[in-house]
Amino acid sequence: MAASDQLTVADLTNRKTDEANHNVRSLEQILTEFRAARERLLQRVDALDASLFARAIPHPRLNTPMQLVDHLYFVAEHDDHHLARIWELVKAAR
């Protein structure tokens, strides 16, 4: 993976989410794919050169320099938001 001078801009239109059509998919399928995506991310991070962890590059929307660990924390918090919402929907459906 090549180093970049700026983080990738997020797709705020949620195109990929809409195309995934999550509402017609089973919870098990969604969570399995989520776990697989998280595992792929961790494998990619594990393969990175250690020097990349010291680098800070600007976040395009926040306009704040972020180190890799900061960005990964940001992503994990975003994922946690979605997992919490899934849990709320599961509890409400019982």
Side-chain angles (χ1 to χ4, degrees), residues 9-59:
V9 176
D11 176 12
L12 298 180
T13 67
N14 287 322
R15 179 187 56 81
K16 287 174 85 175
T17 299
D18 292 338
E19 289 174 359
N21 205 10
H22 294 302
N23 290 338
V24 299
R25 299 168 62 223
S26 73
L27 176 61
E28 291 78 19
Q29 183 182 17
I30 291 169
L31 292 176
T32 297
E33 291 175 13
F34 175 84
R35 287 183 189 103
R38 177 62 65 83
E39 182 61 32
R40 284 190 306 274
L41 173 62
L42 292 175
Q43 289 171 357
R44 288 180 69 185
V45 169
D46 192 43
L48 292 174
D49 184 274
S51 67
L52 293 176
F53 285 85
R55 243 181 114 205
I57 58 177
H59 184 285

